[in-house]
Amino acid sequence: MATTLMRNTAPKEHPGRYYGFQAAVSACAVIGAAVVCVVGGTAATGTFDVPFAFWLTAGLALVAELRPTRWGGLWMSPIASIYLVYVLATMVTWGFLPAIIVQSAAIALLCAQIRATAWRTVFNASQQGLALVLAWFVWNAVADGAVWTGGAAQMLTIFAAGTVWTLTSFALVAGRQSLRTGAGWPGLFWQWFKSEWALRATQVAIAPILATAAMASWWLVAASAIPIFAVYRILQTAADRERQADRDPLTGLLNRKGFQQVVDAKITDATETGTTVAVLILDLDRFADVNSALGHEVGDQLLVELAQRFRADKPPGKAIAHLGGDEFAFTWSELDGMTDPLECAREIRARLDAPIVLGDASVEVDGSVGIAVFPDDGPDFQTLFRHADIAMYESKQRASSFARYAPEFDHHSPERLLLLGDLRRALDHPDAPGVNLFYQPQVRIVDGEVIGAEALLRYSHPERGVVNPAEIIETAEHSSVMRMLTERVVDIALRQLRSWNEAGYDLRMAVNVSVRDLQSPEFTDFLTGRIDAYGVDAAKLQLEITESALMADPRRVVVNVQRLSDLGVGISLDDFGTGFSSMQHLRRLPVTEIKIDKSFVTTLIDDPDNAAIVSTTIDLGRALDVEVVAEGVEDEKVRKQLEGWGCHAGQGWHFAKPMSADAFERWMADHRREQ
Ligand code: C2E
Ligand code: MG
Ligand code: MG
C-alpha cells in the first residue's frame, strides 16, 4: 500500500533536518543504552545465566509479531504490536540489555513484514531503544538494582516506567512525522495518543503479571501467554470491526467514510511528493427506473454485479467506494501509477459497456463520471469530492460520458452564493420588491396580431442593479431557490394573465421553466393548484422548456412533461436547434410549439446556412403540426422573410423589447391603434 511505502520516503524540503533528527535519536539511544549498561551493572546487563522462562518470554514476544494486527487508521501506525508487555517484563526480571535485545529483534521482525527500509527500521529500534533507556531509569530509581518481587512500590514503578516508554515513543514518532509532513507536533502527538493509548495501557498493566509469572516458573509464562494472546485477538477483532465500519455492506466496497480516509492519506502522500491524486464520481443514469420497474432486489443485485466488475482485474481505481444509491467513487494517484485521470474515467465507462444480466432481464447501464484532481481542482477531500460531483452533474447535462472539473461549472462561487442569499431573501417575502417580470409580445407574423407574451424574469439587486436573468437561473438552478423562483414567476405571470383576460385581451402567457422544475413531480401539483386558484384556462399557459433541461435526466423529465401536458398547458421547445438531439425531443415529448433560437433568426438574411435552418424548421413544424415561433426578430427584412416561409409567430425587438406590465398595456393600446 502506498501509505506504508510513503512512510519510507523523506520529505523533499528539509531532508537534512529530517535525517538529522533520526541520526540524533539513534545516537542518543546508543549512548543511553551504553550508559545504562555501565552504570546499571548486572541489574542492567543481566547475568546471561538466564532460565528457560526468559527464552520462552523472548520467543513469545517474537511470535506475537509474526502476524501483526493491521490497525484501523491508515494515518497512524499501520499495525498493532504487543511485544511491549514482554519487553517490560524482561527488563524488570532479567535486566535492560536482554530487554532491549528482545525489543530490537521484535522491531526488526515487524519492520521486515511491513517492508520498511533499513533506516526506518533503525529509527524505530532507536526511538523505542531511547524510550526503554528512560523507562529503565525510572524503574531503577525505585528498584535500584533489585529484582522483581511484585511489591506495591515496584508495581507503581513499572506502571510509571511503561508510561514513560509510551510517551517517549509517541513524542519521537510524532517528531519524525512532523518533520516529514510539516504538520504541527502537538497535533500529531495527540493523534497518536488518542489512537494507541488504550493498547499501550493494557500492555503496561499486564507486564507486572507476566514478570511475576516469569519469576515463579516457565510454565506460568506459557500459561500467561493465553490471556495475552486473548487480548491480542480482541484487538484484532476490534481492528476488523473498525475496518467494517469503513465498508458498504451491500457491495463490500468502501463507504464514504472509508473512501475519505484513503483519499486523505493519498493527499498527504501527494503533498510530500508533489504528485497528483484523482477523485472520480460515477452516477448511473435511470437507476430509479430499474428499481421501480424490476424491484429493489434487482436494483441491489445490479449494484453488486457492477461492484464486481469494477473490482475485476486491473480495477479503474486504487480504492473504490459505493456511496449509496447509484453513486460510486474511485481514487487513483500518480504514486499508484496513474498517468492520465481521463484514462481512468474511460476505463470506468468501459466497464458499463456490456449489459448486466440479472435472471431473465438484461439491463443496459449508463452513467456519467465527474473528475477532480488534487491539487489543481482542490486542496482537500471535501473540495475535491464536491468538485467531482459538480463535474459529474455537468457531464450529465452535456450528455457526455465524463467531464473534468472546471471553475466555470461551479455555480457556487462566493459572488454567486451572495446573490443566491439575496435572492432567497427577496423570495421569502411575497411583497418584498426586487423580483419582477417583464413581458415581451409574441406577434402573429401574417397580420401583426398580438397573440401572447413571454414572461421574462427581472431581478433588481439592491446593490448590483438588474442582474442578467441567465446568470440568476444558472445560480439558482443548483439550489432549492430555483423552485421558489419558478413558483414566484408562475404566480405573477398567472395573476397578470387573469388581469389581462379580464381586461378583454385574449392573450396567452409563456413562462420559462428550468431543469430543476422538471425533475420533480411536485411542480405539476403546484401548477394545477395555481391554475385553479386564478381560474385561468390551462390552454392559455405555455411552458417553455430548453433542450439543456431535457438532457439532464431525460426519462424523468419526459414523465413530468407528459403530466404537465395532460393538464392542458402548451409545451414549447425553447432555443430550438441549439441542443444536441432536438429531433429526438420532438418525437418523445408532447410538444405544441417550437421556438427557433434567435442565433439563427437574427442573421438569417446574411447567412444562408441559418436561413436554411430556419426555413427547414418552419417546414418541419408544419409537417408535425406544431406551431413555430421565431425568436430574435430584429428587423422588418427578417419578418418579411419569415412571412414568406409561412412562420406562425415572431418575437423580438422589431416588435417590442421586454417591458413592464404597465408598459406592455400601453404598447398594446398603441399597437392596436396602428393596426
Ligand atoms: P429565452 O427564454 O430564450 O428568452 C428570450 C431572450 O431573448 C430574452 O432574454 C429576451 O430579452 C431576448 N430577446 C428578445 N428579443 C430579442 C431580439 O430581438 N434580439 C436579441 N438579441 N435578444 C432578444 P432575457 O430576458 O435576458 O432572458 C434570457 C434567458 O433567461 C431566457 O431565454 C430564459 O431562458 C431565461 N429566463 C428568463 N426568465 C426566466 C424565468 O422566469 N424562468 C426561467 N427558468 N428562465 C428564465
Ligand atoms: Mg423562453
Ligand atoms: Mg429562447
Side-chain angles (χ1 to χ4, degrees):
M1 173 184 305
T3 316
T4 312
L5 297 175
M6 280 309 299
R7 290 166 192 276
N8 290 333
T9 62
K12 275 191 176 158
E13 289 168 22
H14 322 299
R17 260 197 261 168
Y18 179 69
Y19 288 117
F21 174 75
Q22 300 193 49
V25 170
S26 300
C28 288
V30 171
I31 296 169
V35 170
V36 170
C37 290
V38 172
V39 303
T42 50
T45 55
T47 57
F48 282 93
D49 174 22
V50 284
F52 179 64
F54 166 78
W55 296 113
L56 189 61
T57 310
L60 287 172
L62 297 182
V63 167
E65 302 313 330
L66 276 178
R67 262 194 65 227
T69 300
R70 293 258 155 206
W71 199 233
L74 285 156
W75 219 86
M76 293 290 112
S77 165
I79 44 178
S81 53
I82 60 159
Y83 55 78
L84 177 61
V85 58
Y86 289 102
V87 170
L88 282 179
T90 306
M91 180 180 83
V92 299
T93 320
W94 296 293
F96 171 84
L97 193 58
I100 199 167
I101 291 170
V102 169
Q103 176 173 280
S104 304
I107 290 169
L109 192 62
L110 205 58
C111 283
Q113 289 186 75
I114 59 170
R115 283 180 290 140
T117 52
W119 57 266
R120 188 175 150 214
T121 310
V122 169
F123 173 75
N124 277 330
S126 306
Q127 56 96 352
Q128 295 192 14
L130 193 53
L132 198 64
V133 167
L134 297 181
W136 188 82
F137 277 117
V138 171
W139 163 248
N140 202 48
V142 174
D144 197 19
V147 287
W148 176 256
T149 54
Q154 283 195 341
M155 267 309 217
L156 289 175
T157 317
I158 196 173
F159 290 154
T163 308
V164 165
W165 187 99
T166 304
L167 295 181
T168 310
S169 169
F170 286 174
L172 293 175
V173 172
R176 174 177 182 267
Q177 184 95 342
S178 165
L179 285 170
R180 192 163 67 92
T181 61
W185 180 86
L188 289 171
F189 179 82
W190 178 235
Q191 267 173 316
W192 273 95
F193 186 82
K194 256 194 330 196
S195 77
E196 298 214 354
W197 75 269
L199 170 68
R200 301 284 178 224
T202 314
Q203 297 185 58
V204 171
I206 301 175
I209 303 171
L210 185 65
T212 310
M215 290 306 283
S217 74
W218 68 263
W219 61 265
L220 267 183
V221 173
S224 65
I226 294 165
I228 291 172
F229 280 91
V231 169
Y232 193 63
R233 279 296 301 154
I234 291 166
L235 283 172
Q236 221 158 16
T237 318
D240 279 351
R241 205 162 290 151
E242 195 161 319
R243 254 201 305 275
Q244 303 250 306
D246 301 339
R247 299 258 152 205
D248 163 52
L250 177 68
T251 57
L253 297 174
L254 290 173
N255 59 20
R256 192 189 154 113
K257 182 172 158 246
F259 186 67
Q260 171 162 6
Q261 280 183 7
V262 175
V263 175
D264 280 344
K266 284 193 187 301
I267 289 176
T268 311
D269 294 351
T271 312
E272 289 166 23
T273 47
T275 52
T276 58
V277 182
V279 171
L280 301 100
I281 295 180
L282 163 74
D283 185 275
L284 302 179
D285 295 337
R286 304 183 298 274
F287 181 67
D289 291 355
V290 173
N291 268 339
S292 55
L294 303 172
H296 283 269
E297 252 171 54
V298 177
D300 283 355
Q301 259 180 12
L302 185 139
L303 294 173
V304 171
E305 177 70 29
L306 265 184
Q308 267 161 14
R309 270 196 199 179
F310 291 141
R311 261 193 303 233
D313 47 44
K314 298 218 189 86
K318 273 293 155 174
I320 308 176
H322 175 224
L323 305 171
D326 55 358
E327 275 200 340
F328 291 87
F330 306 77
T331 181
W332 211 350
S333 72
E334 254 182 281
L335 288 171
D336 301 327
M338 172 187 74
T339 46
D340 177 6
L342 299 186
E343 200 42 56
C344 181
R346 265 182 224 116
E347 180 58 38
I348 295 170
R349 285 290 319 229
R351 299 202 180 202
L352 303 180
D353 279 350
I356 293 186
V357 182
L358 302 166
D360 310 332
S362 162
V363 185
E364 296 280 349
V365 277
D366 207 347
S368 306
V369 180
I371 310 161
V373 182
F374 170 86
D376 290 354
D377 303 333
D380 52 34
F381 173 79
Q382 303 297 352
T383 318
L384 288 171
F385 196 78
R386 193 164 57 81
H387 286 171
D389 206 41
I390 289 170
M392 184 271 291
Y393 189 77
E394 185 72 25
S395 121
K396 247 190 213 300
Q397 276 202 314
R398 291 201 215 143
S400 60
S401 3
F402 51 83
R404 159 116 188 239
Y405 172 78
E408 56 268 28
F409 301 166
D410 200 340
H411 309 279
H412 298 287
S413 64
E415 305 87 74
R416 289 199 163 179
L417 280 176
L418 279 179
L419 177 66
L420 202 62
D422 293 336
L423 189 60
R424 186 190 290 276
R425 247 162 278 141
L427 290 166
D428 265 343
H429 303 282
D431 304 320
V435 178
N436 275 312
L437 293 184
F438 267 30
Y439 302 90
Q440 188 176 30
Q442 296 180 331
V443 176
R444 195 153 55 210
I445 297 273
V446 273
D447 57 6
E449 178 77 19
V450 179
I451 54 166
E454 176 174 9
L456 292 160
L457 175 71
R458 291 295 176 266
Y459 169 55
S460 80
H461 186 268
E463 281 137 39
R464 288 176 57 182
V466 177
V467 187
N468 177 4
E471 183 187 343
I472 298 173
I473 304 305
E474 240 175 70
T475 310
E477 204 153 51
H478 300 272
S479 75
S480 56
V481 173
M482 191 65 231
R483 211 171 127 204
M484 297 164 76
L485 188 64
T486 306
E487 292 188 354
R488 176 70 66 89
V489 168
V490 166
D491 212 56
I492 303 176
L494 287 181
R495 196 181 322 139
Q496 192 59 59
L497 179 64
R498 183 179 64 182
S499 138
W500 283 339
N501 285 348
E502 282 171 357
Y505 296 115
D506 182 23
L507 296 174
R508 55 171 218 180
M509 182 72 82
V511 173
N512 295 282
V513 289
S514 89
V515 196
R516 211 181 161 95
D517 303 321
L518 297 170
Q519 280 177 339
S520 77
E522 287 140 46
F523 179 63
T524 323
D525 302 336
F526 167 78
L527 202 64
T528 317
R530 292 285 85 185
I531 289 173
D532 284 352
Y534 285 112
V536 293
D537 178 3
K540 293 274 178 229
L541 182 65
Q542 194 79 19
L543 293 180
E544 297 196 357
I545 301 170
T546 55
E547 288 193 68
S548 62
L550 297 167
M551 278 175 330
D553 191 350
R555 295 226 178 154
R556 201 149 26 138
V557 170
V558 169
V559 172
N560 290 326
V561 171
Q562 186 61 53
R563 288 188 61 208
L564 287 167
S565 166
D566 294 345
L567 274 182
V569 302
I571 304 293
S572 179
L573 261 192
D574 204 351
D575 303 344
F576 187 80
T578 54
F580 291 114
S581 39
S582 311
M583 297 300 156
Q584 218 180 23
H585 296 142
L586 260 185
R587 229 164 29 99
R588 281 169 37 195
L589 291 170
V591 171
T592 55
E593 178 187 276
I594 298 171
K595 284 187 87 176
I596 311 177
D597 190 65
K598 55 181 172 291
S599 59
F600 306 113
V601 178
T602 36
T603 54
L604 68 81
I605 298 297
D606 303 319
D607 187 329
D609 291 346
N610 283 349
I613 292 172
V614 174
S615 71
T616 328
T617 310
I618 295 168
D619 290 344
L620 178 73
R622 200 174 302 116
L624 293 175
D625 199 23
V626 295
E627 295 192 348
V628 178
V629 180
E631 282 183 344
V633 181
E634 292 186 357
D635 52 54
E636 175 57 18
K637 275 195 209 155
V638 170
R639 192 207 65 81
K640 233 184 155 56
Q641 181 61 77
L642 290 168
E643 185 177 2
W645 285 331
C647 180
H648 179 250
Q651 184 183 336
W653 299 343
H654 175 59
F655 306 108
K657 289 201 168 179
M659 52 201 152
S660 69
D662 289 347
F664 188 91
E665 281 167 28
R666 283 196 299 275
W667 178 87
M668 282 282 286
D670 289 349
H671 186 75
R672 281 192 172 172
R673 238 174 283 127
E674 279 169 21
Q675 291 251 297

